[in-house]
Amino acid sequence: MSLGDAQPARIFGLNQESEDRVFLGDSSFWFMLQELLDSSPPLLNLSAGERLKLPIDPNQELAITQMGKDVLAGKRNYLELVGMGRWIGDVHLTPQNMWCWNSAASSIVKQ
């Protein structure tokens, strides 16, 4: 990671570059970042306990927490940590109806 890669705007740009077909807008991305910051335990932190700002503040930088590293390493499941109870499209995600991306199968599978 180079200097500036921890800035929320840069992370959004890197996310856009990684998509074959860009579909995620900045507002949705900011909402997702805020969820990772607000989760208990948090997976991301902002310097000095700040809130994520819009318009973009170039002085803000994100840092991954140890729990965030554990989730990335596959040691913990984010959805099991924070619980789930929301609609995405026509699917109601709950602890009993949890769907996740499975890299090995290259598809979404029910947990």
Side-chain angles (χ1 to χ4, degrees):
M1 184 181 295
S2 65
L3 184 62
D5 282 353
Q7 295 172 334
R10 179 69 179 135
I11 294 169
F12 175 68
L14 291 170
N15 174 266
Q16 295 295 290
E17 290 173 13
S18 73
E19 296 289 336
D20 291 331
R21 292 174 185 84
V22 176
F23 67 92
L24 185 64
D26 58 351
S27 294
S28 296
F29 186 79
W30 250 241
F31 179 78
M32 290 168 46
L33 280 181
Q34 195 62 59
E35 283 187 325
L36 297 174
L37 289 160
D38 291 340
S39 66
S40 181
L43 276 67
L44 297 175
N45 284 326
L46 276 172
S47 54
E50 295 180 0
R51 299 285 298 166
L52 192 61
K53 296 178 186 169
L54 281 176
I56 296 167
D57 180 348
N59 297 316
Q60 287 192 313
E61 289 198 355
L62 294 164
I64 190 165
T65 64
Q66 183 58 51
M67 187 59 69
K69 291 176 184 177
D70 289 348
V71 168
L72 279 177
K75 296 176 184 175
R76 301 294 300 265
N77 183 314
Y78 172 72
L79 298 177
E80 290 173 358
L81 288 172
V82 300
M84 182 54 63
R86 78 165 99 168
W87 285 88
I88 297 180
D90 284 340
V91 178
H92 187 201
L93 298 174
T94 66
Q96 297 77 28
N97 189 39
M98 205 179 316
W99 294 78
C100 296
W101 179 256
N102 182 303
S103 297
S106 293
S107 67
I108 298 172
V109 296
K110 188 171 184 178
Q111 298 291 302

